[in-house]
């Protein structure tokens, strides 16, 4: 039984609208980033110019290149560190029975609900105390507050659903727990680790409040803060072309990641929320 | 006998290694979360300033509320709870959370229902829908700031082209529309997240229910209201709670899109301004503490209400 024509048309119109609203702002940012001078101040719906001057300005003048490297460094180290800490913790939380396990998991989960602003003044003191102010390590360190609970949570759920039999033989053979994690679990955990790693990377790449507060010089900043702080001498001289070029540069890798790993990201996002 | 002794030794050694494995994670969380939170709360009861944190002295509830008497029986209340700007930001935060989460749920539901249909190019549509979610918040704020520009913005151009407005609107600068602008950007950016969570709920609804309803000739709208909606309600509720907690701490979008205006200042923005811009460290800490209390209350209520399965007993 085929649905009536008006229904089909209506449905595809809706689909078209959904796609258009999702894609248009980014499309328009790319379009603006390719315009220069006077062309910038005419509203165009279709690409009219293909001028790379804005990109050239961002990448060759100033410290934007260095700032990209800062972001790459912070996000990468955050992913490695939180995965390492979370895999061992998730093993203990999912495979070993001990008292207080449920409460512990609850505590870890509740940390992910913390508003960042609630720890900001305390963290600021800690970071100054360790001499990390204006160092990229201050971000690596503070980002653990949101990557770690989430990673532990998802990996624990994942590990708990693996059958008991896989480690029984290893325990009988007297393998140490660390060997069990490394030889038995790690090979099975890749899918979950890729998912959580990706989400941790995106989160660290996008974070703004800590990066704004704990870093004070331009060459140390990460890209979100760098973009937020691009300004002209007055309100009428804001270099929109440069801002859009910088925005496209930092967003393209993320959009690529999302398109390539679409399924993994979706399963990670929903595992974090729905399974609870 | 020997067997049980061996077993209990084994289980004891496993318990020991469990704590050993947990230690690095727990220490990290203690240093980045528990200790700073405790210090924030402590600062809120002191006279700490940005430069003199270690000399902070206890001042009681003065940062929250204090009645200063002027002598002749008159006086005035001071402190956070007597600050109109604070209450304005509480109101802004609540308004933001309620409106953004409502629209995100509604749009998310529509998108999820569309993505749950079989049609050609569904994978591509789903990928496209994810794009706003992948764009960093700061970048979306800047992109929209440009699109909403009062003179050169494409949104004003569109609305004028459609004849909906006669004058360009200064979306982000005017106090009347600043909140609308913030809401617009947030709804655009976060609806994909909502849609995904609801879609996951939709995909758990068994297909044969729909088949049966179709055979019985039940109209689509009734099927949705009587079957689909009740079945996906748990997933929707979880998504709504997650998003609400997130919306209550909103900072980035407001700070970048509409800096320094009473019309959109939220609790997080208010707290950070006091902490680092106005050198009112203790006062800002008090604001942070109150925001934390609100969110903690909602979280605890939620966990109690859903009796979350933490031990994995059900699975």
């Amino acid at each position: 039984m085929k649905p009536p024509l008006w229904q089909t048309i209506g449905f595809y119109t809706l689909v078209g609208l959904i796609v258009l609203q999702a894609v248009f702002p980014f499309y328009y940012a790319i379009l603006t980033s390719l315009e220069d001078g006077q062309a910038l101040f005419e509203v165009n719906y279709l690409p009219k110019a293909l001028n790379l001057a804005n990109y050239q300005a961002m990448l060759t003048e100033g410290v934007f290149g260095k700032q990209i490297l800062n972001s790459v460094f912070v996000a990468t180290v955050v992913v490695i560190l939180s995965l390492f800490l979370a895999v061992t913790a998730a093993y203990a939380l999912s495979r070993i029975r001990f008292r207080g396990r449920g409460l512990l998991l609850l505590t870890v989960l509740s940390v992910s609900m913390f508003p960042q602003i609630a720890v900001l003044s305390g963290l600021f003191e800690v970071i100054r105390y360790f001499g990390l102010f204006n160092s990229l390590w201050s971000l690596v360190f503070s980002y653990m507050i949101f990557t770690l609970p989430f990673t532990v949570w998802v990996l624990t759920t994942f590990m708990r659903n693996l059958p008991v039999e896989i480690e029984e033989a290893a325990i009988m053979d007297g393998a140490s727990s660390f060997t069990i994690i490394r030889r038995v679990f790690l090979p099975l955990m890749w899918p979950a680790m890729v998912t959580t790693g990706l989400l941790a990377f995106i989160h660290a790449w996008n974070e703004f409040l800590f990066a704004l507060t704990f870093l004070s010089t331009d060459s140390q900043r990460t890209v979100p803060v760098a973009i937020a702080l691009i300004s002209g001498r007055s309100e009428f001289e804001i270099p929109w072309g440069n801002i859009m070029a910088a925005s496209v540069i930092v967003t393209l890798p993320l959009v690529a990641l999302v398109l390539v790993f679409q399924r993994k990201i979706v399963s990670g996002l929903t595992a974090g929320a729905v399974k609870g | 006998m020997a067997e049980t002794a061996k077993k209990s030794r084994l289980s004891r050694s496993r318990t020991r290694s469990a704590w050993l494995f947990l230690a690095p994670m727990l220490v990290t969380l203690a240093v980045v979360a528990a200790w700073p939170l405790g210090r924030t709360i402590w600062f809120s009861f002191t006279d700490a300033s940005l430069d003199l944190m270690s000399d902070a002295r206890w001042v009681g509830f003065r940062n929250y509320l204090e009645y200063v008497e002027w002598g002749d029986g008159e006086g005035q209340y001071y402190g956070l709870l007597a600050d109109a700007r604070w209450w304005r930001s509480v109101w802004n935060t609540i308004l933001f959370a309620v409106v953004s989460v409502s629209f995100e749920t509604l749009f998310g539901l529509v998108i999820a229902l569309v993505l749950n249909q079989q049609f050609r190019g569904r994978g591509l549509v789903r990928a496209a829908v994810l794009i706003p979610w992948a764009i960093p918040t700061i970048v979306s704020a800047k992109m929209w700031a440009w699109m909403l520009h009062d003179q050169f913005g494409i949104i004003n151009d569109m609305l004028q082209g459609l004849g909906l407005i006669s004058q360009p609107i200064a979306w982000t600068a005017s106090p009347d529309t600043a909140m609308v602008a913030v809401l617009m950007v947030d709804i655009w950016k976060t609806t994909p997240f909502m849609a995904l969570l609801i879609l996951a709920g939709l995909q758990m609804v068994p297909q044969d229910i729909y088949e049966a309803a179709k055979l019985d000739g039940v109209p689509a709208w009734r099927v949705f209201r009587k079957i689909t909606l009740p079945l996906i309600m748990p997933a929707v509720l979880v998504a709504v709670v997650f998003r609400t907690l997130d919306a209550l701490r909103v900072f980035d979008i407001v700070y970048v899109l509409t800096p320094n205006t009473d019309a959109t200042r939220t609790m997080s923005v208010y707290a950070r301004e006091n902490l680092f811009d106005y050198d009112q460290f203790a006062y800002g800490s008090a604001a942070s503490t109150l925001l934390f209390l609100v969110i903690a209350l909602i979280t605890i209520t939620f966990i109690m209400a859903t009796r979350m399965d933490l031990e994995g007993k059900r699975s």
Side-chain angles (χ1 to χ4, degrees):
Chain A
M1 188 172 72
K2 273 183 78 168
L5 185 67
W6 65 269
Q7 250 182 25
T8 317
I9 294 176
F11 180 76
Y12 279 101
T13 315
L14 187 60
V15 170
L17 272 178
I18 290 172
V19 172
L20 188 70
Q21 62 85 25
V23 178
F24 185 79
F26 191 50
Y27 159 80
Y28 192 62
I30 297 176
L31 202 137
T32 306
S33 72
L34 294 172
E35 290 172 349
D36 196 29
Q38 207 46 44
L40 208 57
F41 301 113
E42 295 157 14
V43 176
N44 296 320
Y45 289 81
L46 294 170
K48 239 182 150 175
L50 212 152
N51 187 333
L52 292 174
N54 291 317
Y55 289 90
Q56 206 182 358
M58 280 316 289
L59 291 171
T60 56
E61 300 160 20
V63 286
F64 192 63
K66 170 78 169 44
Q67 290 164 333
I68 294 178
L69 291 182
N70 291 344
S71 275
V72 172
F73 171 81
V74 170
T76 313
V77 180
V78 163
V79 169
I80 295 170
L81 205 59
S82 44
L83 279 182
F84 175 77
L85 291 174
V87 167
T88 48
Y91 172 75
L93 285 170
S94 62
R95 311 302 289 200
I96 304 177
R97 290 204 171 280
F98 60 92
R99 280 165 60 125
R101 191 167 71 156
L103 191 67
L104 205 60
L105 205 51
L106 183 69
T107 316
V108 171
L109 187 68
S110 66
V111 171
S112 68
M113 305 286 177
F114 272 31
Q116 273 174 272
I117 195 87
V119 293
L120 195 65
S121 36
L123 254 182
F124 188 72
E125 190 197 26
V126 172
I127 278 165
R128 275 222 297 221
Y129 177 81
F130 286 122
L132 292 177
F133 185 70
N134 203 26
S135 148
L136 291 177
W137 289 102
S138 68
L139 297 191
V140 170
F141 172 71
S142 55
Y143 287 0
M144 290 297 138
I145 196 175
F146 49 78
T147 58
L148 209 45
F150 169 79
T151 319
V152 168
W153 179 256
V154 175
L155 293 186
T156 302
T157 322
F158 185 86
M159 265 191 177
R160 194 156 54 199
N161 292 335
L162 295 175
V164 194
E165 291 77 24
I166 60 167
E167 60 179 326
E168 263 175 357
I171 294 178
M172 284 306 146
D173 289 345
S176 76
S177 298
F178 199 71
T179 317
I180 295 177
I181 294 182
R182 213 162 48 91
R183 306 296 290 270
V184 180
F185 281 103
L186 267 193
L188 294 170
M189 303 266 304
W190 279 116
M193 285 174 69
V194 171
T195 306
T196 48
L198 269 171
L199 289 172
F201 187 92
I202 293 175
H203 210 144
W205 183 267
N206 294 353
E207 201 281 337
F208 180 68
L209 178 59
F210 287 167
L212 177 72
T213 308
F214 300 147
L215 302 173
S216 62
T217 54
D218 261 352
S219 60
Q220 290 297 93
R221 291 195 201 286
T222 51
V223 283
V225 183
I227 290 176
L229 295 183
I230 297 176
S231 59
R233 267 166 298 170
S234 74
E235 207 204 312
F236 305 101
E237 293 178 39
I238 298 174
W240 287 107
N242 289 2
I243 294 177
M244 290 304 133
S247 301
V248 172
I249 295 172
V250 306
T251 307
L252 271 184
L254 291 194
V255 171
L257 276 182
V258 167
L259 296 188
V260 174
F261 292 102
Q262 201 198 126
R263 269 171 202 289
K264 288 226 165 303
I265 289 177
V266 172
S267 74
L269 277 178
T270 46
V274 175
K275 270 198 180 165
Chain B
M1 192 68 186
E3 193 60 18
T4 49
K6 190 180 167 202
K7 210 168 182 182
S8 88
R9 197 152 15 97
L10 183 71
S11 93
R12 232 180 310 139
S13 99
R14 269 172 73 77
T15 308
R16 218 176 17 244
S17 64
W19 285 105
L20 205 67
F21 280 149
L22 286 167
M25 189 255 321
L26 290 176
V27 170
T28 312
L29 282 187
V31 184
V32 297
W35 172 260
L37 177 68
R39 289 298 282 178
T40 301
I41 297 172
W42 155 253
F43 283 138
S44 76
F45 292 105
T46 67
D47 60 358
S49 70
L50 208 48
D51 302 313
L52 296 168
M53 271 183 222
S54 41
D55 305 338
R57 278 175 313 131
W58 176 268
V59 297
F61 281 90
R62 204 163 75 191
N63 293 314
Y64 293 94
L65 192 63
E66 182 192 32
Y67 187 72
V68 179
E69 204 156 336
W70 294 337
D72 46 358
E74 284 184 48
Q76 202 186 339
Y77 281 105
Y78 287 96
L80 198 58
L81 297 176
D83 184 350
R85 270 164 53 97
W86 163 253
W87 289 111
R88 180 74 205 266
S89 44
V90 172
W91 165 245
N92 284 342
T93 312
I94 294 172
L95 182 73
F96 172 84
V98 170
V99 177
S100 67
V101 174
S102 311
F103 276 100
E104 284 156 23
T105 312
L106 185 68
F107 293 154
L109 188 61
V110 171
I111 294 180
L113 285 170
V114 167
L115 287 178
N116 201 36
Q117 304 295 318
Q118 298 287 348
F119 62 93
R120 233 197 274 165
R122 183 171 70 157
L124 275 176
V125 174
R126 193 173 61 175
V129 165
L130 265 175
I131 287 180
W133 175 83
I135 295 177
T137 312
I138 301 306
V139 170
S140 354
K142 283 291 180 193
M143 271 167 31
W144 280 85
W146 172 236
M147 297 201 330
L148 292 167
H149 197 281
D150 50 349
Q151 294 168 46
F152 316 117
I154 195 164
I155 302 272
N156 278 337
D157 189 74
M158 283 179 190
L159 293 177
Q160 280 180 309
L162 292 172
L164 291 173
I165 55 171
S166 52
Q167 295 285 325
I169 298 176
W171 290 97
T172 55
S174 149
D176 300 330
T177 50
M179 186 52 102
V180 176
V182 169
L183 282 166
M184 215 166 6
V185 182
D186 191 75
I187 292 167
W188 175 77
K189 160 129 185 76
T190 322
T191 296
F193 177 75
M194 248 353 192
L196 287 183
L197 292 193
I198 297 176
L199 182 61
L202 274 177
Q203 283 168 345
M204 279 187 248
V205 178
Q207 280 301 309
D208 39 353
I209 293 186
Y210 293 126
E211 301 287 324
K214 210 173 195 177
L215 283 182
D216 291 346
V218 184
W221 169 245
R222 256 180 83 91
V223 173
F224 173 73
R225 233 172 37 128
K226 296 278 180 192
I227 302 175
T228 318
L229 206 53
L231 282 174
I232 60 168
M233 230 12 177
V236 175
L237 274 183
V238 172
V240 165
V241 172
F242 267 69
R243 270 303 301 150
T244 308
L245 290 173
D246 223 29
L248 287 174
R249 41 191 182 193
V250 62
F251 176 81
D252 308 14
I253 285 196
V254 178
Y255 188 86
V256 173
L257 195 65
T258 57
N260 261 323
T261 146
D262 283 334
T264 58
R265 182 180 294 105
T266 60
M267 286 150 93
S268 286
V269 176
Y270 179 93
R272 207 205 106 98
E273 273 177 6
N274 279 290
L275 285 172
F276 295 102
D277 300 337
Y278 304 156
D279 195 18
Q280 302 217 56
F281 200 73
Y283 194 70
S285 299
S288 309
T289 306
L290 279 189
L291 175 58
F292 171 76
L293 277 181
V294 171
I295 289 182
L297 271 179
I298 298 179
T299 312
I300 291 169
T301 318
F302 169 65
I303 290 177
M304 303 281 245
T306 56
R307 276 185 237 99
M308 270 168 98
D309 172 36
L310 291 165
E311 288 275 10
K313 278 180 196 129
R314 260 186 285 153
S315 52

